[in-house]
Amino acid sequence: MKQSQRHQKILNLLNQHGFVSTEEMVAQFDVSPQTIRRDLNELAEQEKIIRHHGGAALPNSSTSNTAYSTRKVMQLTEKERIAAQVAARIPDGASLFIDIGTTTEAIARALLNHKDLRVVTNNLNVAMTLTEKDDFKVIIAGGEIRNRDGGIIGEATRDFIGQFRMDFGIIGISGIDMTGALLDFDYQEVRVAQSIIQHSRQVFLATDHTKFGRNAMVNLGNISQVDVLFTDQQPPEEIVRIMQQGQVECCIC
């Protein structure tokens, strides 16, 4: 395969997966690690990618998220696997927050076999899913409805969340920086997620591997603030080290 063809295929992989490790690219293209490193260095010099220790990612826009209709179908199989593992850790009779996001919506669907859950959510889609169960108590946070995805945001939402103390807080994220920073696109959404973290006994972060190394402009916090990360692939080495230092469990689904 010509170098130019391999470069394009690397970009296609990154566009599909967000972050791809050097080892994955070596296996994908059946070339030496040195060859892949040279490819990545050249693409980085052209500002087409961002190099990270152990792999690479695309230099995504930090100001706007992918459309909700697109996110609903992206990595759908991975999200369902993650959702099943999260649901398996939630006992019957538990109380939980469920945040905005397509992964958290998959988790809501996976919880329908549970009994007697008490749920506070700022996600209209989650609320509609969970009201199928007569034995669930579902409380919708007040605030401004974001038309594009049914999320409820704003200071009123944050204040509402602060009235509760729940067994579990289930959150998603738009990006995880290699420093461990949790990143998102909407300041008001981030403020609500911070309140969920603060008022949960255990925090579950559910995200697929495309979020590793992805950029967004609003800092929610650090991955060390969560108790368990549920994802579909091993995180990059930098993130693994931060999780180990913060004693964050990693569940590969």
Side-chain angles (χ1 to χ4, degrees):
M1 183 186 298
K2 293 181 180 179
Q3 185 187 56
S4 59
Q5 292 175 313
R6 195 168 57 248
H7 283 191
Q8 186 56 54
K9 288 184 178 293
I10 288 172
L11 293 173
N12 292 342
L13 271 178
L14 294 174
N15 190 53
Q16 181 180 0
H17 297 292
F19 175 88
V20 181
S21 70
T22 303
E23 290 78 8
E24 288 174 308
M25 287 184 267
V26 167
Q28 175 81 20
F29 301 113
D30 193 24
V31 295
S32 69
Q34 291 79 7
T35 298
I36 289 298
R37 291 190 189 101
R38 283 196 298 270
D39 288 339
L40 297 182
N41 286 337
E42 290 180 17
L43 289 168
E45 288 173 2
Q46 298 167 22
E47 298 184 347
K48 292 182 178 180
I49 68 166
I50 297 175
R51 283 297 313 269
H52 297 291
H53 182 70
L58 288 179
N60 292 340
S61 168
S62 65
T63 59
S64 60
N65 201 358
T66 307
Y68 175 73
S69 59
T70 302
R71 286 187 285 120
K72 278 186 69 175
V73 297
M74 290 173 64
Q75 281 75 47
L76 187 58
T77 301
E78 291 88 342
K79 289 174 183 176
E80 289 175 348
R81 288 205 305 266
I82 291 167
Q85 291 290 328
V86 173
R89 299 283 287 269
I90 304 293
D92 290 338
S95 62
L96 54 153
F97 294 114
I98 302 182
D99 197 15
I100 300 170
T102 55
T103 304
T104 54
E105 290 170 17
I107 292 167
R109 294 190 294 271
L111 287 169
L112 291 176
N113 291 325
H114 283 55
K115 297 178 181 178
D116 301 316
L117 295 182
R118 290 157 290 161
V119 179
V120 174
T121 183
N122 61 322
N123 186 327
L124 285 180
N125 300 312
V126 165
M128 291 299 295
T129 296
L130 296 179
T131 51
E132 293 181 21
K133 292 295 297 293
D134 291 337
D135 59 326
F136 284 10
K137 182 175 183 179
V138 181
I139 301 171
I140 301 178
E144 177 186 350
I145 298 175
R146 197 166 59 186
N147 293 338
R148 66 177 181 269
D149 62 2
I152 303 173
I153 55 174
E155 286 303 308
T157 315
R158 183 171 177 268
D159 291 344
F160 186 88
I161 294 293
Q163 298 178 78
F164 298 87
R165 180 70 174 171
M166 308 297 266
D167 297 327
F168 301 94
I170 300 175
I171 63 172
I173 201 67
S174 293
I176 304 176
D177 189 79
M178 294 303 164
T179 63
L182 303 178
L183 305 173
D184 226 311
F185 294 93
D186 189 318
Y187 172 76
Q188 294 188 88
E189 180 179 347
V190 161
R191 295 276 286 174
V192 175
Q194 289 169 337
S195 187
I196 288 174
I197 291 173
Q198 183 181 356
H199 293 93
S200 301
R201 294 183 178 91
Q202 289 191 69
V203 179
F204 289 174
L205 173 62
T207 186
D208 66 81
H209 70 279
T210 64
K211 308 302 171 57
F212 299 134
R214 188 180 184 216
N215 196 16
M217 70 177 189
V218 186
N219 187 6
L220 188 155
N222 193 276
I223 198 166
S224 60
Q225 294 175 262
V226 310
D227 295 288
V228 188
L229 168 68
F230 293 84
T231 188
D232 60 307
Q233 291 185 18
Q234 180 76 4
E237 292 179 18
E238 298 96 323
I239 295 175
V240 170
R241 282 197 296 270
I242 294 166
M243 291 173 62
Q244 290 172 342
Q245 292 168 1
Q247 297 183 317
V248 179
E249 180 186 347
C250 184
C251 180
I252 306 296
C253 308

